[in-house]
Amino acid sequence: MHSNERSGLRKQWEVAVRNSSSRIYNFWISSFLVMAFPISLAHAQILVHFDLPSQPLAQSLKAIGTATNTDVGFSSSQVAGFIAPALKADLTVDGALTRVLAGTGLRPQHLDDHTIVIAGAGSSTSNSVELKLSSAKGSARAEVDDQVMMQQAEVAADSMTKQSQPSSQTAGLEEIVVTGTHIHNAEPITPVMVLTQDEIVSQGYTRLDQVIEQLPQNFKSGASQDSNPVSSAGNGAAQNYGYASGVNLRGLGANATLVLLNGRRLAPTAYGSVTDTSQMPVSMIDHIEILTDGASAIYGSDAVAGVVNIITKRDYSGVELGGRVDSISEGKTPNYGGNLLGGTSWDGGNAILDLDYEKDNPLFARKRSFTATLPDPTMLLPKNEKSSVYGSLQHRFTERLTLSGDALVTHRQYNAQDRLAPTDPFPYDAYGSSDQYSGSLQLDYRISSEWRTSLIVQGSKEADENTQVYTSGGYIIRAFPFDYQVFSLEPRLDGKLFEIPGGAVRVALGGQIRRETFREGTESGGLTGPLTLDGTTDESRHVSSAYGEILVPIVGEGNVMPFVRRLRIDISGRYDDYSDFGHTSNPKIGVEWVPLFGLALHATYSRSFQAPTLYETSNAINIGYVTAGPDPKSPSGSSVLLLVDGTNPNLKPETAKSFNAGLTYEPRFADGFKLDVAYFSIDFDNQINRLSPGVFNNVLDANVEPTLGSLVERDPSLAQIGQVLSAPGRTLYNGLAGYCTVGTPGCPTPDPASINALANIGYENSASVRVRGIDLIARYVGRTTPFGRFRADLDGTFFTTYQQQIGPGGSPSSPLNTLYNVLRFRAKANVGWEQAGWGVNARLNYSNAYDNINTAINPNCPGGNGCAISSWTTMDLSLSYASQAPANSPLAGIRIGLNATNLFNRSPPFVSSPPGSGAYPYDATNANAYLRMVGLTVTKKWGGEVGR
């Protein structure tokens, strides 16, 4: 049998299998269409709300078809290389298709009320596709067999694509790069979670940090206002002096997740521990892309647990004025804010300006029954006042040359109060400010129809100021100036190398030169009088990088075979050379296999790294403490300890190996449904660790010492002790004499012979973490019906393993499902409905039960009984109405939203603690003390898409 005959028989077999599997489905669909025939007559005139990001044209066409209950037929080769513009308006199906097809040379052709084929400008319906007709009792509908339509459309599309290809290449402003790849118009192997602004707003969120904190993949420890030095809740809290809100995917640390703004690296807070997202207003966001996979091969440092890319609006016309008031709850003054957004477009360009302001009022512990016993004043939430200015500009000078740029300036002031101990007669007061500055320019040049190059200049800075007033101690500590800066220059090139039977082999190449700087000045003194400068720290480094990526479609449309509809391999790698610690190379390989229509399997393996921050490698801290601590091995029950705390210029990068495997399922019989299931495995080694304050005097505790390994040494030699005590620049405190400073009048020098143990509690590459788990994301977006449009979302993360080793040679422990640590299972589910401008969303948030144990500090329940911490389920509800008035009406463009979080007013699960400890009676990293909160938002739009 000849190969052509075999190929023909194979195609006939595939068609027969697919037809037989869909006969029952088609029967029910046909029956429904017969009953719905009167409604379908007006189908083309129904207005549907769209909120689609700029994305590959194929994705927009599918989304339009789903939203309008229309079969939109096209071939992949026909729309390859086209990027649809963002679409935000209420439109008919024809209006929506006209917008996304503008400039492509393609047009929609109606076959019937529910079937549209994408054709070339000069083609006819008869040349595009043939119909198989079926009838059913008095009415008939053209039933298009998907396999026949797609095969014939591909043949007809060849000439159309050739004619329209030049115009597709002129859409310079609309070509995009998705998070996780540097190749234009390519989908990354690992699926990217996308949250649009419409989803954010419709579900009642008013701030970006609210969105991030409710992601089951995120952990609040050290990356939220609740997790800070005063609450001491969670790892990393000790460095969050500015009460910043960031991202901490997988609980690996806030600086193990890379946060990008339009693909550009943002400066972290001055200590380098958090990239603050709380100052980025929702009004400027178009959508958020979240990649939960290692990505150092693409982006370099920090992309260990994943990447969060905040994509701002780039194509907006009109004016929007908005106001909001939220956190309306018992015992708390409401938060309030507003924004003004304006944009204008011209031939080849667009400019946007967004202004936003918000004031967040504090929540005092005395206003909640479950925290009323905490000493007053204690703020469970600090006071914040934020303002921001965002602007973007893009212009196409020629069909080849495009310039785009954006800038963001934010300012946040905060104030927090607490009593550090119940017996403290005076409160602790912390206040300060955080300023963010970020800007970038990108010049894109199209070398040919298949190749383009970019030059990107970017700068970002966070300037912090922090003042801590210890009234009872009678002194002040102030840090200023206190900033972190990042500047980079990056050339990039990508395009098609050649064609193979599976499609085009594409490659991206690039390099980057980056400079990072850190400055800190500290001063201290009494409550009155001038402060004395304690010291300054200035650190900087240069980073030179080179990277490459190649995408190989082994099997594609040109060589489909049974059970292999598509097979792609993506290989990427990056080399980074740091001026302070050396170089590192990190590869990544990904494989995608599509065995059947609607089913895609994927797997990736990668190495990632996280560079130590400039603060961690500085000489900012160099302290020794001689103190007494409990020791069960000592006859007296205690021993004299020499504790060394400090930053470390000899730190090396943290390293990680990641494996991710999963599937994406979009069944034909359930249009609009999508299921993503993924297994993740991360081995995080050389992790930079600084022991928490709770370990300070407990390094010899029977439950703690085994976990610290070689960080603790018993019976050190006099030579070792002398070397530590006399280290250059080290400040030594004698805790045996009231923590006086050795060398000052009246402070005795400790006797080296009295020291029984030496412990390093400062920054060291000493820890490792093993993380395993499963993500499940299910989404359903229904078609528009006479009864409205329904959607449902389910998002959950289940950890099977979370094992850590604190010190070299130390015994491993599992903090999973314990106080201030990652929970085994978290999930959220949302159900939404919209009809004629009305919208309702109901969301359930679930956290499982766990143990009141912090393994690293004390494995025993603080209160004896009541070790279990109960599960916590809350419900949020949001209602909205968008005016359907004509564009010339004063009511046009008005949207009103009412949202309630924790609708049933559920208190956080109780956490027992020793009497008089001052510890919070709830877990601030896995719950909150807000109780029921109500919010109201009102927006008014003029011009542009007022029908939203």
Side-chain angles (χ1 to χ4, degrees):
M1 183 179 294
H2 295 295
S3 61
N4 289 341
E5 293 175 332
R6 288 197 301 268
S7 177
L9 288 175
R10 184 173 66 246
K11 290 184 177 180
Q12 292 177 23
W13 176 77
E14 289 178 348
V15 172
V17 171
R18 294 178 62 182
N19 287 346
S20 61
S21 64
S22 62
R23 283 193 182 108
I24 297 176
Y25 172 68
N26 287 337
F27 168 78
W28 287 109
I29 291 297
S30 299
S31 301
F32 173 79
L33 289 169
V34 168
M35 294 184 288
F37 181 72
I39 298 172
S40 69
L41 294 177
H43 170 74
Q45 303 303 319
I46 295 176
L47 285 176
V48 175
H49 173 64
F50 296 95
D51 189 351
L52 305 179
S54 179
Q55 60 186 347
L57 179 57
Q59 295 182 22
S60 289
L61 293 175
K62 291 178 181 178
I64 292 171
T66 299
T68 60
N69 193 23
T70 304
D71 293 323
V72 179
F74 61 92
S75 71
S76 299
S77 60
Q78 186 181 11
V79 299
F82 291 90
I83 294 297
L87 185 64
K88 296 184 180 180
D90 286 342
L91 300 166
T92 63
V93 61
D94 288 333
L97 290 174
T98 298
R99 288 204 188 185
V100 299
L101 294 173
T104 65
L106 303 175
R107 65 184 179 88
Q109 289 187 339
H110 282 263
L111 302 181
D112 62 17
D113 285 332
H114 283 272
T115 309
I116 296 176
V117 174
I118 305 304
S123 64
S124 64
T125 303
S126 59
N127 291 332
S128 299
V129 67
E130 291 183 3
L131 300 181
K132 291 170 64 179
L133 300 178
S134 62
S135 59
K137 278 200 171 184
S139 65
R141 175 178 181 264
E143 180 186 328
V144 182
D145 180 87
D146 179 71
Q147 179 73 20
V148 175
M149 182 180 74
M150 298 307 275
Q151 289 179 352
Q152 296 185 359
E154 288 178 8
V155 175
D158 288 340
S159 61
M160 303 176 199
T161 305
K162 293 176 182 178
Q163 295 173 3
S164 61
Q165 190 70 15
S167 63
S168 76
Q169 305 299 337
T170 65
L173 288 177
E174 298 166 356
E175 292 177 343
I176 60 171
V177 176
V178 179
T179 303
T181 179
H182 281 315
I183 299 176
H184 281 79
N185 307 331
E187 299 177 25
I189 298 295
T190 304
V192 174
M193 186 191 313
V194 178
L195 302 174
T196 67
Q197 191 205 50
D198 187 63
E199 291 175 317
I200 294 171
V201 172
S202 65
Q203 293 188 34
Y205 297 112
T206 59
R207 299 205 316 254
L208 179 57
D209 55 314
Q210 296 171 341
V211 180
I212 298 299
E213 287 181 7
Q214 285 203 334
L215 287 175
Q217 297 82 6
N218 184 71
F219 180 47
K220 292 199 302 180
S221 175
S224 66
Q225 295 181 4
D226 312 68
S227 183
N228 55 70
V230 175
S231 70
S232 298
N235 295 328
Q239 298 302 322
N240 193 12
Y241 282 100
Y243 295 83
S245 296
V247 189
N248 184 0
L249 295 177
R250 311 296 187 208
L252 295 178
N255 52 350
T257 299
L258 179 61
V259 178
L260 304 174
L261 180 64
N262 295 320
R264 316 283 184 256
R265 184 179 291 266
L266 288 169
T269 57
Y271 281 127
S273 59
V274 184
T275 300
D276 192 4
T277 62
S278 66
Q279 302 182 64
M280 299 179 190
V282 169
S283 57
M284 81 177 196
I285 297 174
D286 182 82
H287 64 283
I288 304 169
E289 297 175 351
I290 302 173
L291 177 70
T292 53
D293 193 10
S296 287
I298 302 294
Y299 300 107
S301 178
D302 305 338
V304 173
V307 181
V308 173
N309 194 1
I310 303 164
I311 310 297
T312 60
K313 294 178 178 179
R314 292 298 187 97
D315 186 13
Y316 180 85
S317 294
V319 176
E320 174 186 298
L321 179 64
R324 58 188 181 271
V325 56
D326 59 12
S327 295
I328 305 172
S329 64
E330 182 179 352
K332 183 184 181 304
T333 305
N335 302 342
Y336 58 85
N339 76 284
L340 177 62
L341 171 67
T344 183
S345 299
W346 58 88
D347 186 18
N350 181 263
I352 294 175
L353 181 66
D354 180 73
L355 309 176
D356 192 275
Y357 171 83
E358 180 170 314
K359 184 175 182 180
D360 300 342
N361 289 295
L363 173 62
F364 286 92
R366 63 176 180 266
K367 298 296 185 178
R368 294 289 179 261
S369 60
F370 49 86
T371 56
T373 57
L374 293 176
D376 188 49
T378 294
M379 288 184 181
L380 303 177
L381 287 175
K383 177 182 178 181
N384 274 291
E385 189 170 4
K386 300 173 284 188
S387 58
S388 70
V389 179
Y390 168 77
S392 75
L393 174 69
Q394 48 186 344
H395 182 72
R396 184 172 58 232
F397 295 101
T398 69
E399 296 300 329
R400 292 178 179 266
L401 185 64
T402 302
L403 177 69
S404 59
D406 56 35
L408 174 66
V409 178
T410 68
H411 174 73
R412 178 170 63 90
Q413 293 179 297
Y414 61 88
N415 175 236
Q417 297 179 4
D418 204 338
R419 290 186 187 269
L420 301 182
T423 57
D424 194 338
F426 299 103
Y428 159 84
D429 193 15
Y431 58 89
S433 64
S434 294
D435 295 301
Q436 286 184 351
Y437 308 91
S438 179
S440 69
L441 283 175
Q442 179 168 333
L443 192 65
D444 296 305
Y445 182 73
R446 184 178 300 284
I447 301 172
S448 68
S449 61
E450 298 292 350
W451 286 89
R452 73 214 74 198
T453 184
S454 301
L455 181 64
I456 306 161
V457 181
Q458 182 264 345
S460 182
K461 172 182 177 179
E462 169 137 347
D464 296 342
E465 178 181 352
N466 178 263
T467 301
Q468 302 167 55
V469 181
Y470 297 84
T471 310
S472 59
Y475 64 96
I476 297 174
I477 298 177
R478 181 171 180 261
F480 178 82
F482 198 30
D483 62 53
Y484 208 108
Q485 302 180 43
V486 178
F487 296 95
S488 66
L489 175 67
E490 180 176 3
R492 189 181 300 162
L493 173 73
D494 80 289
K496 182 175 76 171
L497 284 179
F498 48 80
E499 289 278 351
I500 60 175
V505 176
R506 298 187 175 273
V507 66
L509 302 171
Q512 187 182 73
I513 300 174
R514 188 169 79 245
R515 175 179 169 82
E516 299 180 8
T517 61
F518 165 73
R519 294 190 306 156
E520 179 194 35
T522 59
E523 53 189 12
S524 61
L527 297 178
T528 61
L531 301 180
T532 302
L533 181 66
D534 297 323
T536 60
T537 302
D538 286 279
E539 299 287 340
S540 66
R541 66 179 168 213
H542 295 83
V543 186
S544 301
S545 307
Y547 57 82
E549 180 182 4
I550 185 169
L551 179 63
V552 182
I554 298 175
V555 177
E557 291 185 0
N559 58 344
V560 173
M561 59 187 70
F563 301 110
V564 187
R565 298 183 60 87
R566 185 166 73 171
L567 180 63
R568 297 190 301 158
I569 296 179
D570 188 292
I571 302 174
S572 56
R574 183 175 175 119
Y575 173 87
D576 295 274
D577 187 11
Y578 282 72
S579 60
D580 49 356
F581 64 76
H583 60 84
T584 176
S585 300
N586 295 276
K588 181 173 185 176
I589 182 169
V591 179
E592 181 192 54
W593 169 38
V594 180
L596 302 169
F597 182 88
L599 176 64
L601 308 177
H602 62 84
T604 61
Y605 172 81
S606 63
R607 290 209 310 256
S608 301
F609 78 102
Q610 180 176 308
T613 68
L614 287 172
Y615 170 75
E616 292 169 341
T617 58
S618 71
N619 290 306
I621 303 176
N622 190 356
I623 301 174
Y625 301 92
V626 176
T627 185
D631 181 6
K633 297 181 180 180
S634 171
S636 65
S638 70
S639 292
V640 178
L641 311 172
L642 174 55
L643 307 176
V644 181
D645 186 16
T647 49
N648 186 351
N650 299 315
L651 290 174
K652 299 298 181 183
E654 302 167 284
T655 60
K657 296 178 181 178
S658 302
F659 175 72
N660 188 297
L663 62 87
T664 298
Y665 183 45
E666 298 180 81
R668 299 174 62 116
F669 59 82
D671 196 15
F673 176 78
K674 181 179 180 181
L675 174 68
D676 281 303
V677 181
Y679 168 80
F680 59 87
S681 170
I682 305 172
D683 291 345
F684 198 11
D685 295 314
N686 300 317
Q687 194 175 19
I688 298 172
N689 188 47
R690 185 189 187 193
L691 298 185
S692 65
V695 182
F696 192 83
N697 287 342
N698 297 318
V699 294
L700 299 183
D701 184 276
N703 295 306
V704 176
E705 184 181 1
T707 68
L708 301 182
S710 60
L711 293 177
V712 176
E713 184 174 356
R714 286 181 174 270
D715 302 317
S717 67
L718 289 177
Q720 288 177 285
I721 296 173
Q723 185 178 11
V724 173
L725 292 176
S726 61
R730 176 159 294 157
T731 301
L732 184 64
Y733 294 98
N734 188 345
L736 304 176
Y739 285 103
C740 62
T741 304
V742 176
T744 60
C747 187
T749 300
D751 179 10
S754 68
I755 296 174
N756 307 116
L758 175 65
N760 189 344
I761 64 173
Y763 290 96
E764 292 289 337
N765 290 105
S766 61
S768 62
V769 180
R770 302 287 179 265
V771 175
R772 310 285 186 268
I774 297 172
D775 286 330
L776 185 148
I777 302 175
R779 304 198 187 285
Y780 172 74
V781 180
R783 296 184 174 185
T784 300
T785 71
F787 307 103
R789 185 186 186 196
F790 293 88
R791 68 168 295 151
D793 306 271
L794 175 63
D795 189 356
T797 294
F798 182 87
F799 284 91
T800 59
T801 302
Y802 200 106
Q803 187 177 75
Q804 70 177 14
Q805 184 173 329
I806 297 176
S811 58
S813 60
S814 178
L816 184 66
N817 244 29
T818 62
L819 180 65
Y820 299 150
N821 286 300
V822 173
L823 300 187
R824 184 175 296 279
F825 179 61
R826 288 183 64 216
K828 66 183 180 75
N830 181 78
V831 177
W833 168 86
E834 57 184 39
Q835 166 82 320
W838 290 96
V840 179
N841 279 271
R843 180 176 61 249
L844 282 176
N845 312 288
Y846 174 78
S847 299
N848 65 218
Y850 55 108
D851 295 324
N852 185 1
I853 297 172
N854 191 321
T855 306
I857 300 174
N858 184 3
N860 302 312
C861 276
N865 297 322
C867 289
I869 300 174
S870 63
S871 63
W872 198 40
T873 303
T874 62
M875 180 176 180
D876 305 331
L877 183 67
S878 61
L879 308 173
S880 64
Y881 176 73
S883 172
Q884 304 296 291
N888 58 356
S889 169
L891 299 179
I894 294 179
R895 182 189 184 278
I896 301 174
L898 180 66
N899 62 279
T901 60
N902 195 353
L903 182 65
F904 298 111
N905 208 35
R906 292 204 61 195
S907 298
F910 174 73
V911 174
S912 65
S913 59
S917 67
Y920 288 6
Y922 70 96
D923 184 349
T925 63
N926 289 300
N928 62 66
Y930 307 158
L931 296 182
R932 182 193 298 116
M933 295 192 302
V934 179
L936 176 68
T937 61
V938 179
T939 57
K940 164 67 176 174
K941 295 183 179 181
W942 294 268
E945 296 128 4
V946 300
R948 180 179 172 186

